[in-house]
Amino acid sequence: YSLTVTVDRHELRCFFGPGLIRRRFALAEIVAAVAVRNRWYYGWGIRLTPSGWMFNVSGLDAVELELVSGTRFRIGTDEPGALIRAIEQGKAGSV
């Protein structure tokens, strides 16, 4: 289907389709955002991987978020660099 990811000054939001399945992360809770490559056998959709939960609709590229709590969450994206920049700009207050 589709995965939409938005970033503003306060939070990162990602949701499938019309938004019934979604996650929100306060930017203050994100310690690190790193471009990663998923293994092909992680699949697509909502998955629990060895690195934590993952939202993905296609491809193998993703951004892995490390949260203050130590948990990790992967968001599949065709543009990992752009997502990381958006997170950094949001944290700096310039989104």
Side-chain angles (χ1 to χ4, degrees):
Y1 203 82
S2 69
L3 174 63
T4 303
V5 181
T6 61
V7 179
D8 62 26
R9 290 182 180 195
H10 305 288
E11 65 184 6
L12 177 148
R13 292 178 296 280
C14 52
F15 56 90
F16 284 100
L20 296 176
I21 299 172
R22 62 180 165 242
R23 283 294 305 261
R24 297 176 138 180
F25 302 96
L27 293 183
E29 304 242 344
I30 299 173
V31 175
V34 180
V36 294
R37 190 130 171 105
N38 293 321
R39 304 276 184 174
W40 65 268
Y41 51 83
Y42 287 1
W44 294 274
I46 302 168
R47 299 279 192 248
L48 182 58
T49 71
S51 298
W53 286 99
M54 175 183 75
F55 275 18
N56 192 20
V57 291
S58 68
L60 301 177
D61 293 324
V63 171
E64 184 174 276
L65 306 176
E66 181 182 350
L67 306 177
V68 171
S69 65
T71 60
R72 296 175 188 272
F73 190 90
R74 288 187 177 195
I75 301 170
T77 177
D78 292 335
E79 299 180 38
L83 179 53
I84 291 169
R85 281 190 300 279
I87 292 167
E88 290 169 351
Q89 290 174 351
K91 289 177 77 110
S94 59
V95 168

